[in-house]
Amino acid sequence: MPELPEVETTRLGLLPHLQQQVIAAVVVRQFRLRWPIPEILLTTLPKQTISQIQRRGKYLLLTCDTGHILIHLGMSGSLRVLPAETPPTKHDHVDIVLENGQCLRYHDPRRFGCILWTDEPILQHNLLAKLGPEPLSADFNTDYLATRLQNRRSSIKSVIMDSQVVVGVGNIYASESLFLAGVHPQRLANTLTLAQCERLVSSIQTVLQQAIAAGGTTLRDFTNSEGKPGYFQQALQVYGRAGELCFSCKTPVQQLTQHNRSTYFCPKCQPK
């Protein structure tokens, strides 16, 4: 699933191609995504200018003259900018055609993503209103995390993956951040010390920044807006490395299952 670094990589790739461009038409080949694509897009978007491309959590927000397009890439979605006449492939479900002859093409084999429209203030949308702070913002800091953990008896991994606590820390990045912070993924959230909270905040920010710089993590389907895969997986310290030796201490990396998701950790570097 594309996570925050992949979505941010996509946003940065789209920015020079979409900002201040005028929409000529919308072509929908498949309306049935996670939620039906609103038919109003076909009549509302033509002649509107895309003025901003922002991200909130894993959502891309395209601001137009009278509202906002909200896009989520789901499990396997991707966006590319192509010449509008490029023949679509099997899972190319939507084209937002621009007056300059290019198009923004949405590709999604599993159809778990979404393309929605709102003319209300975008951050009040029901999919965004309850999201926690951005992990790379000043709002996500040691004091904030310590406060949110005080009454949480869940595992720390599940808490940092809760989008109402902090957005965008998906399964891969949670494992990597906990390793860098030296915190066991099964540790109860409310038992972390202030120093551990400080290390964890710093580790989450470091891992996400490195992943964005590397273009995200390609494990299955992700490609960026130019069709190129990200390469952060080459720098993964524990994720997907069960049985291999920890780069730091040479102890075999272990794997366990938490909430039906695989977790990877080093038992020596991350004592329970």
Side-chain angles (χ1 to χ4, degrees), residues 186-239:
Q186 291 181 313
R187 178 82 175 266
L188 293 182
N190 65 351
T191 67
L192 265 67
T193 66
L194 193 63
Q196 287 173 321
C197 289
E198 183 176 13
R199 288 205 306 272
L200 185 53
V201 167
S202 176
S203 296
I204 289 170
Q205 293 172 339
T206 296
V207 167
L208 292 176
Q209 287 168 338
Q210 289 175 346
I212 291 169
T217 303
T218 301
L219 294 179
R220 293 181 182 171
D221 303 302
F222 172 72
T223 55
N224 65 21
S225 59
E226 296 178 343
K228 300 176 183 178
Y231 296 103
F232 184 66
Q233 73 177 67
Q234 298 175 4
L236 295 176
Q237 300 296 300
V238 289
Y239 190 89

Side-chain angles (χ1 to χ4, degrees), residues 23-28 37-38 41-46 69 94-97:
I23 298 170
V26 178
V27 178
V28 179
I37 295 175
L41 289 181
L42 302 178
T43 54
T44 298
L45 286 183
I69 307 167
V94 180
D95 285 356
I96 297 177
V97 183

